[in-house]
Amino acid sequence: MATTLIDTRKSIMGQIHESWNQFRSTDEAMVLMFGEVGSNYNDYHNIPLGKDFAKNDAPWTSKQSVLEKNTAHANKLIRLYIALNIDVAYRMPIWKFFEIQSGVVGRIKDETKLLKRIQKAMK
C-alpha cells in the first residue's frame, strides 16, 4: 500500500514491481488473476512477480510519459493519505496508480478531491 511517496529519483517501474510483489499474496490479487476464490483454486505462487510480466501482459503501463504524469497525481493523493492518517488497508497500492484501464487518473483525482474535502472539514 502507498505508505511513502513515489520516489522520482529512482526507477518508477522498480517501485511498481515492489508494490505488485507485496500485493500478489492478497485475496484481491487472487480474484484479479484467477477469478472468485473456489471457482478456480490457485496458489498465490502462481501469480507472477512484477519483473516476470511481459511488457504486453503487465496490468500496468510502461510508457515513461504516463508513468511520470501518474506519479504526480499519485504523490498528491499519497500526501493526503499521510496527512489524514488514512489506514493502510484503505490506501491504493502503488501499482494501481499505473493500472492499464481508462479512468485511473479520474479515480485518483476523485479520491484526492474527496480527501481534500475531508481535510477542509476537519480544520
Side-chain angles (χ1 to χ4, degrees), residues 29-90:
M30 291 291 286
V31 171
L32 176 71
M33 296 300 288
F34 306 116
E36 288 299 317
V37 177
S39 65
N40 187 12
Y41 179 77
N42 272 292
D43 191 76
Y44 80 91
H45 293 291
N46 295 337
I47 299 174
L49 291 169
K51 66 178 175 55
D52 295 335
F53 278 104
K55 187 174 182 177
N56 296 333
D57 293 338
W60 50 80
T61 186
S62 60
K63 288 181 68 176
Q64 190 61 31
S65 61
V66 175
L67 292 174
E68 291 169 3
K69 250 190 272 182
N70 286 15
T71 296
H73 295 297
N75 280 341
K76 287 178 188 176
L77 182 57
I78 294 168
R79 280 186 188 94
L80 285 168
Y81 284 156
I82 293 167
L84 293 171
N85 200 22
I86 302 294
D87 192 289
V88 175
Y90 297 105

Side-chain angles (χ1 to χ4, degrees), residues 20-31:
W20 174 264
N21 293 342
Q22 292 172 355
F23 173 77
R24 71 187 275 266
S25 63
T26 65
D27 290 337
E28 188 180 349
M30 291 291 286
V31 171

